Amino acid sequence: MFSLERFHAHCGFPDFFSCATVSSVVGKFYLSPLLRILSFLSLVLAGQLSLQCIFFPPLEKGHGEESVLRPLYMDVQATTPLDPRVLDSMLPYLMHYYGNPHSRTHAYGWESESAMERARQQVASLIGADPREIIFTSGATESNNLAIKGVARFYKSRKKHIITTQTEHKCVLDSCRYLETEGFRVTYLPVKRNGLIDLKELENALQPDTSLVSIMTVNNEIGVKQPISDIGQICSSHKVFFHTDAAQAVGKIPMDVNDMKIDLMSISGHKIYGPKGVGAIYVRRRPRVRLEPLQSGGGQERGMRSGTVPTPLAVGLGAACEVSQQEMEYDYKRISVLADRLVTKIMTEIPDVVMNGDPEHHYPGCINLSFAYVEGESLLMALKDVALSSGSACTSASLEPSYVLRAIGTDEDLAHSSIRFGIGRFTTEEEVDYTVQKCIQHVKRLREMSPLWEMVQDGVDLKSIKWTQH
Amino acid sequence: MAASSRAQVLRLYRALLRESQRFTAYGYRTYAIRRIRDAFRENKHLKDSEEIQTLVNKARTNLEIIHRQVTIGQLYSTQKLVIESPENRDNLII
């Protein structure tokens, strides 16, 4: 039940104003717009209302006592909470040091610029790059667009071919599709059943006029780690630029742009416990990678991305990268242990669970499990105390099963029953145990209700059934 | 200034843990406590006083960070997580 007292306390109202009539009428129909306006007017007339009280306090609609408590967060591939150290580094630039980093003439600009350059150095040192090779963007989507469209368009007079994979992020696939309308040819490499690409196929797909190969390091849906060093080796020997979307990999596994022969790399702030709305792109200088900018303007960021660099966000990204560099080993060890615990516990308790993606070349913090004979959406609804996702956030709005699972050859029904568990820096053993327990409980319950499960228990082979048409 | 004595380091350790307990957010609280314990445990064998001094300075900076973030968390606190309620915790049979 919505609490009026809490609303008043939030607005700074004196308590005597919560008279019974107003409370009962308003409290019961609080979500009705008409009565909301009436209550607002009555409060204005009483001369007690301060204008900040137009917005209601952030309470979710309670459907029972259980949902008054917040669910556990097990969806770190979608986004991550801010690390307290990152927020601490950002706050001064949100409060006092608000200058524009491109203002050359006064101290506000200078201090902002030096913070931005420090952040650039922090990002660069995480990936083994030079700070001059880092460009701040609004996120990995913009970085991917810049890399693919920018490089393709710059070299379009002589190079018209691009290679990517079928399991890339939507922004990469969409950029490639857009370039096809501009006259480029794109090869979408298929992946093997374990989610990895075939290096021979990649080499065969390379043509004399290939300008760019774009393959993501760690997949955000199934957690598969592509053999980036080998791909980089192939690309550099054929003199083709290699771009990798490392949004899920940076700060979690060691990345070095020189060892792995990477020419372009996309970094996302909010995947590494940094702020949302900022990212970076690494653009190699030796040998120089040229790209056509997407955004025209004052020539900031070496002319590749015009626009004021958001200092607080850039500082946050830099701090997140520095923290990740220090904590990488510790986090990786812990996350591997927790991931093992989750998978082992689930697989020993319930049969017919498939883990999507190669078990060896895999980032442990992203676990995608398919529960046979259970519908994925109904399992997600049942696990209402845990924030999970089936597939990625960018495809979750549509009813289609994830294209990544389709690309690795998962059966239609298994693709519909997949859930992605994300384990991050702040995930505890308790949370993993709770998730596992609820998952086992609900999978068992849903299977009890499923006629398909009954048939399987009786020994019927589901693939042999001839479903009648009505 | 004299090199950090064992007593000073222990005092710092206890102060860090005590401050971390005050985090309102479950994830931050558990992470801070766990990380502090593991970090001090990992470095307890160190003998070089310079190394120890750098780490002690780092710990002091972190104590200030934790203190500020604890305060901010309390200003903007929200509801607890499902797992923090006592009935839900007792129900964990695994």
Side-chain angles (χ1 to χ4, degrees), chain A residues 307-338:
Chain A
T308 305
V309 169
T311 311
L313 297 179
V315 164
L317 175 63
C321 287
E322 189 176 53
V323 170
S324 290
Q325 197 173 6
Q326 293 163 355
E327 303 285 342
M328 205 189 298
E329 206 188 308
Y330 178 83
D331 283 344
Y332 190 85
K333 257 191 270 190
R334 250 198 87 242
I335 290 172
S336 308
V337 166
L338 287 176

Side-chain angles (χ1 to χ4, degrees), chain B:
Chain B
M1 193 164 83
S4 296
S5 65
R6 187 168 182 279
Q8 268 186 316
V9 170
L10 281 177
R11 224 178 305 142
L12 194 52
Y13 178 59
R14 261 194 299 273
L16 278 163
L17 285 180
R18 223 186 359 247
E19 197 62 33
S20 304
Q21 287 280 8
R22 297 174 56 220
F23 265 121
T24 50
Y26 173 82
Y28 292 163
R29 187 173 62 242
T30 48
Y31 175 75
I33 294 172
R34 189 185 338 123
R35 190 70 188 95
I36 291 164
R37 274 208 196 110
D38 289 344
F40 274 80
R41 207 158 285 167
E42 192 188 315
N43 291 316
K44 71 179 178 191
H45 63 279
L46 286 180
K47 296 280 185 285
D48 178 26
S49 66
E50 247 188 63
E51 264 186 78
I52 296 177
Q53 192 55 45
T54 2
L55 289 174
V56 162
N57 292 337
K58 201 170 104 173
R60 286 217 178 93
T61 328
N62 279 325
L63 179 59
E64 288 169 23
I65 295 176
I66 294 175
H67 180 72
R68 287 192 289 263
Q69 292 304 311
V70 156
T71 314
I72 291 171
Q74 288 170 346
L75 290 171
Y76 288 93
S77 64
T78 182
Q79 304 102 318
K80 293 195 196 258
L81 285 189
V82 166
I83 209 168
E84 293 181 86
S85 105
E87 325 88 61
N88 284 324
R89 186 169 275 145
D90 291 336
N91 281 340
L92 282 181
I93 13 172
I94 297 177

Side-chain angles (χ1 to χ4, degrees), chain A residues 166-387:
Chain A
Q166 289 174 2
T167 53
E168 290 296 305
H169 195 263
K170 263 279 159 71
C171 57
V172 171
L173 295 176
D174 213 52
S175 301
C176 291
R177 199 179 39 233
Y178 186 78
L179 285 177
E180 280 181 338
T181 67
E182 287 190 355
F184 291 86
R185 289 180 339 268
V186 183
T187 303
Y188 300 93
L189 287 176
V191 289
K192 300 187 279 206
R193 282 219 72 131
N194 59 3
L196 297 170
I197 62 149
D198 190 332
L199 293 167
K200 288 273 163 12
E201 272 196 47
L202 169 63
E203 231 178 321
N204 294 336
L206 286 168
Q207 289 169 24
D209 70 337
T210 305
S211 59
L212 183 70
V213 167
S214 175
I215 297 178
M216 70 194 325
T217 315
V218 169
N219 187 284
N220 56 321
E221 287 196 38
I222 53 181
V224 154
K225 248 191 325 195
Q226 300 289 353
I228 293 295
S229 303
D230 299 327
I231 300 170
Q233 188 62 47
I234 294 173
C235 290
S236 84
S237 59
H238 285 86
K239 302 258 188 299
V240 175
F241 291 131
F242 175 37
H243 164 252
T244 182
D245 177 3
Q248 296 286 349
V250 160
K252 302 192 177 137
I253 54 171
M255 298 282 294
D256 189 299
V257 290
N258 293 314
D259 291 344
M260 297 172 167
K261 300 204 163 52
I262 296 170
D263 297 305
L264 294 132
M265 187 201 276
S266 304
I267 298 166
S268 173
H270 71 113
K271 304 284 166 34
I272 52 171
Y273 311 95
K276 292 178 193 41
V278 72
I281 180 171
Y282 159 76
V283 184
R284 183 176 279 280
R285 289 180 85 236
R286 300 249 178 103
R288 193 179 286 274
V289 177
R290 310 284 300 274
L291 51 83
E292 206 182 85
L294 289 175
Q295 224 163 279
S296 320
Q300 287 87 6
E301 298 295 281
R302 303 187 176 271
M304 292 195 234
R305 202 268 182 190
S306 298
T308 305
V309 169
T311 311
L313 297 179
V315 164
L317 175 63
C321 287
E322 189 176 53
V323 170
S324 290
Q325 197 173 6
Q326 293 163 355
E327 303 285 342
M328 205 189 298
E329 206 188 308
Y330 178 83
D331 283 344
Y332 190 85
K333 257 191 270 190
R334 250 198 87 242
I335 290 172
S336 308
V337 166
L338 287 176
D340 261 334
R341 192 183 172 90
L342 187 142
V343 173
T344 317
K345 281 207 156 115
I346 290 183
M347 289 207 165
T348 50
E349 267 298 306
I350 41 183
D352 297 307
V353 177
V354 176
M355 181 159 122
N356 299 308
D358 190 273
E360 199 195 309
H361 296 97
H362 183 253
Y363 170 65
C366 175
I367 302 159
N368 193 305
L369 298 176
S370 282
F371 299 93
Y373 320 114
V374 170
E375 223 282 316
E377 291 297 320
S378 54
L379 182 56
L380 277 180
M381 295 295 122
L383 289 169
K384 59 178 164 29
D385 287 335
V386 186

